[in-house]
Amino acid sequence: MTLQPAQKTPADSSKALYGGKGTRRITVHDIAAAKTRGEKWPMLTAYDAMTASVFDEAGIPVILVGDSMGNCHLGYETTVPVTMDEMTILSAAVVRGTKRALVVGDLPFGSYQEGPVQALRNATRLVKDAGVGAIKLEGGERSLPQTELLVQAGIPVMSHLGLTPQSVNTMGYRVQGRSDEAAHKLLRDAKAAQDAGAFAVVLELVPAELAAEVTRSLHIPTIGIGAGAGTDAQVLVWTDMAGLTGGKVPRFTKQYADLRATLGDAARAFAEDVSGGSFPAEEHTFH
């Protein structure tokens, strides 16, 4: 296998997902056009209006309201406990905090596994009540009936393959697709998701050469997380990217800031000012 060749810069930068001049909402058609142009683009998670507004203003074209909220926002040990109520409330907040980004809402564990009708009911809730522009669900061949029905109903679907965190109790947290059999299955799943109408595929914790092969084999974009540089796009959990998550950081994450230290310093400075009597000062006081 060979890695995907370097992609070209779009001829018309005004149409670019990142750095483009448009102000309207990005759609799945824009995502498809970026693949045709060979444009790489970024995606981040967000779980509240304020954070989402920062990423929207920074030009992030796609924001995922991931079930990763369970680990890094709601205090759960895994993504499994996340509910549809929680997903709907936080997705709506992210939509309210954005103007341009395509907002994708996750279907959490237990919200689509019963079958297509359950998936349609819950996906419709995210579209109608939260206002998301697309939904994401895990699984390849096992989720094809759900994907097909949602697409037929007019709901864009982002598929999620490789490490699927909702299946942590059966697969654990480890790289997927290392054996020939597993690699062939991942490729089949990706093509099946595309044939079912998915507009994009997330590849999580997949060997780089396999992810590049999947990317070359599909006409829809691939979004990597721990899948090397050969995918069409890259996504990170924002609290990992910005250094807010405590403890060990995943190997595939690059930290672009140290917000945990910054916030800690600010909190300690505030506490010291209060305990020392220097806050509030005269300029913070009304008479």
Side-chain angles (χ1 to χ4, degrees), residues 145-212:
Q146 289 92 326
T147 299
E148 290 173 345
L149 182 58
L150 295 186
V151 172
Q152 289 170 9
I155 300 175
V157 175
M158 178 182 287
S159 183
H160 186 154
L161 304 175
L163 173 67
T164 47
Q166 292 175 12
S167 302
V168 62
N169 290 327
T170 58
M171 68 169 52
Y173 289 105
R174 61 177 183 269
V175 176
Q176 304 296 307
R178 277 182 163 156
S179 69
D180 288 343
E181 180 182 358
H184 289 315
K185 183 180 186 309
L186 183 71
L187 186 56
R188 286 198 313 271
D189 279 344
K191 290 181 177 179
Q194 174 180 265
D195 292 343
F199 75 91
V201 177
V202 173
L203 300 175
E204 182 169 358
L205 283 191
V206 174
E209 291 189 354
L210 175 57

Side-chain angles (χ1 to χ4, degrees), residues 37-88:
R37 292 193 303 267
E39 178 193 350
K40 287 182 176 283
W41 47 273
M43 179 167 83
L44 286 172
T45 65
Y47 318 107
D48 64 88
M50 185 175 295
T51 304
S53 70
V54 172
F55 296 157
D56 197 52
E57 291 169 5
I60 300 299
V62 184
I63 295 178
L64 171 66
V65 191
D67 59 3
S68 50
M69 67 173 65
N71 309 76
C72 59
H73 192 73
L74 298 175
Y76 301 138
E77 291 186 3
T78 69
T79 66
V80 173
V82 175
T83 67
M84 274 302 303
D85 285 345
E86 291 164 338
M87 184 60 66
T88 303

Side-chain angles (χ1 to χ4, degrees), residues 191-280:
K191 290 181 177 179
Q194 174 180 265
D195 292 343
F199 75 91
V201 177
V202 173
L203 300 175
E204 182 169 358
L205 283 191
V206 174
E209 291 189 354
L210 175 57
E213 181 183 3
V214 172
T215 301
R216 290 191 298 269
S217 300
L218 301 183
H219 62 73
I220 61 175
T222 58
I223 305 163
I225 177 167
T231 55
D232 296 301
Q234 296 290 331
V235 61
L236 285 176
V237 172
W238 90 261
T239 51
D240 293 341
M241 177 277 297
L244 189 60
T245 305
K248 185 178 180 180
V249 177
R251 174 183 172 181
F252 55 79
T253 293
K254 179 177 179 179
Q255 287 189 314
Y256 290 84
D258 189 359
L259 292 193
R260 193 173 187 90
T262 299
L263 285 175
D265 289 345
R268 282 185 287 272
F270 165 69
E272 290 170 4
D273 280 358
V274 171
S275 61
S278 61
F279 179 83

